[in-house]
Amino acid sequence: MLDFNFTSIVNLAGFAVLAYFLWVMLYKPFFDIADKRRQMVESELNQSEKLRKEAEERLQQVNKELEEIKSKKEQIIKEAEELAKNIVSNAKEEAINEKARIISTAEKEAKEIKEEAYKDIQNKVVSLSIAIASMILKKNVDEKVNEEIVKRAFEALSKGEKL
């Protein structure tokens, strides 16, 4: 049966003191440390989740900016291609205009040279004709008459008439 004596009470009191001592010195600090550790882990998990969300948001933002940059790059390339086409087109147009101007200038110069050569030949023909006529006629023609003949011959040749 159960017998309670003074030793049992002392043992029971000792056990209670030991249990209280273990509770205060070991069990309570252990659970306090465990609770603090659990709170710290939860806090770090919350913080890491927050950082993960921020990183995802930043990644989305960077991807969006990258897409915008790609879009701008493509737009710049298109504009550069259009500008290059315009430059080439303008250069071709300028080359055609320059070609036309050079040809026109060359034609004018050729026409002027032809006219000068024609006038020179006319003058020589008139001079030779007068010289030949003078020799044939062996007659002294006065200076005024000679100039009048040359003038008429020159005018007739200029108009394209026959002498």
Side-chain angles (χ1 to χ4, degrees), residues 54-112:
E54 287 177 6
E56 284 179 358
E57 290 173 2
R58 182 66 181 142
L59 179 62
Q60 289 174 353
Q61 184 180 8
V62 168
N63 285 337
K64 184 178 178 182
E65 289 174 0
L66 184 61
E67 288 299 320
E68 290 175 1
I69 289 171
K70 284 180 183 179
S71 174
K72 286 180 183 178
K73 178 188 79 169
E74 290 173 1
Q75 182 181 2
I76 289 170
I77 288 172
K78 285 179 183 178
E79 289 174 358
E81 288 174 349
E82 289 178 16
L83 182 62
K85 286 178 184 178
N86 289 341
I87 290 172
V88 168
S89 174
N90 290 342
K92 284 181 182 179
E93 192 174 306
E94 287 178 14
I96 290 170
N97 292 340
E98 184 66 16
K99 175 184 168 187
R101 187 190 64 77
I102 290 171
I103 289 173
S104 174
T105 303
E107 287 175 349
K108 286 179 185 177
E109 288 177 1
K111 186 176 181 181
E112 289 173 2

Side-chain angles (χ1 to χ4, degrees), residues 41-57:
V41 167
E42 286 176 357
S43 171
E44 288 178 358
L45 284 174
N46 290 339
Q47 188 176 1
S48 67
E49 182 66 22
K50 181 181 175 184
L51 290 174
R52 185 189 62 78
K53 286 181 181 179
E54 287 177 6
E56 284 179 358
E57 290 173 2

